[in-house]
Amino acid sequence: MVTSGGDKPNVSFSKLQHYQFVASASTNTQSAIVSMAYMEETNQLVVSTRAIPAAVPVVPVDVTSVRIPVPVPQAVQVLKVEESLQSPMLFATLDGHKDFVQCLIPLPNGCLLTAGGKNDATMKIWELGKIASVSTDDNLHSAPVMSNPSSTIDKDGYIFAGAVLKDFKSSNGEGSRPFALAVARYNVVKILC
């Protein structure tokens, strides 16, 4: 929570909820979080997870954590987060990269851009609005595993980070929301229009 008063803003946080991603016991792996982003328009938290061997020690399970089973330990997990924060739903799993996803960029058109690590070197665009989740009878949520993005960009290679920019070259006035991307690798920033 941020409150203003005096010369400096007052920032304080309290634990609202802990979510822990757990892979199925048959995979002999665990999931470690790589990066995440929030998609405000759809109230979704997208989290990139990386598969690590089950033998690697991890932080002990917090008894108050909400355990979220994931079908693929190394993928992008899309959570639908409700206002109560008590019952997040695994909305979808995006599994289209050969390496863990380094960068997640929510796009102004409602899509999500994911960028894979060095062994993948692609950016993929996912249309999350086309995904439908299915609830099972035992009140757990099963989510579709998507492996085919709407499009793949492989000419710019591996990137560390990215940001959405206003596209200053476009001014069509038709109510669309044009944008450009800034992507970074090592000491280079590329602007993609």
Side-chain angles (χ1 to χ4, degrees):
M1 174 185 341
V2 178
T3 58
S4 59
D7 295 340
K8 298 179 182 178
N10 183 21
V11 179
S12 64
F13 296 96
S14 62
K15 174 188 164 191
L16 294 175
Q17 192 59 261
H18 287 178
Y19 305 136
Q20 182 176 21
F21 295 102
V22 292
S24 71
S26 64
T27 64
N28 202 27
T29 60
Q30 308 178 89
S31 291
I33 294 172
V34 177
S35 64
M36 62 184 178
Y38 180 63
M39 299 187 67
E40 188 172 356
E41 289 183 14
T42 57
N43 206 28
Q44 293 170 324
L45 181 65
V46 290
V47 181
S48 170
T49 56
R50 179 180 189 171
I52 57 173
V56 174
V58 294
V59 176
V61 175
D62 182 340
V63 293
T64 60
S65 292
V66 175
R67 295 170 60 89
I68 301 172
V70 294
V72 182
Q74 183 162 297
V76 174
Q77 317 300 337
V78 181
L79 293 178
K80 181 75 173 171
V81 182
E82 301 300 329
E83 289 181 23
S84 70
L85 299 176
Q86 299 300 313
S87 305
M89 181 177 81
L90 184 61
F91 185 72
T93 296
L94 309 178
D95 183 30
H97 288 278
K98 297 175 193 165
D99 198 356
F100 65 91
V101 171
Q102 180 75 29
C103 185
L104 301 162
I105 307 170
L107 301 176
N109 63 0
C111 293
L112 175 69
L113 184 138
T114 59
K118 286 184 180 179
N119 295 326
D120 183 272
T122 64
M123 292 184 282
K124 299 184 184 291
I125 298 176
W126 305 85
E127 292 183 56
L128 298 181
K130 294 185 176 181
I131 300 170
S133 277
V134 179
S135 292
T136 59
D137 292 336
D138 59 4
N139 205 26
L140 293 174
H141 298 284
S142 61
V145 176
M146 311 283 294
S147 57
N148 296 314
S150 300
S151 63
T152 299
I153 305 164
D154 58 4
K155 65 178 182 168
D156 294 299
Y158 169 57
I159 64 169
F160 290 148
V164 175
L165 306 173
K166 179 180 177 182
D167 186 356
F168 296 103
K169 292 169 58 175
S170 179
S171 59
N172 57 11
E174 297 175 10
S176 67
R177 297 168 58 184
F179 59 92
L181 292 172
V183 295
R185 178 175 51 186
Y186 302 111
N187 64 347
V188 175
V189 174
K190 296 179 183 179
I191 307 297
L192 310 174
C193 297

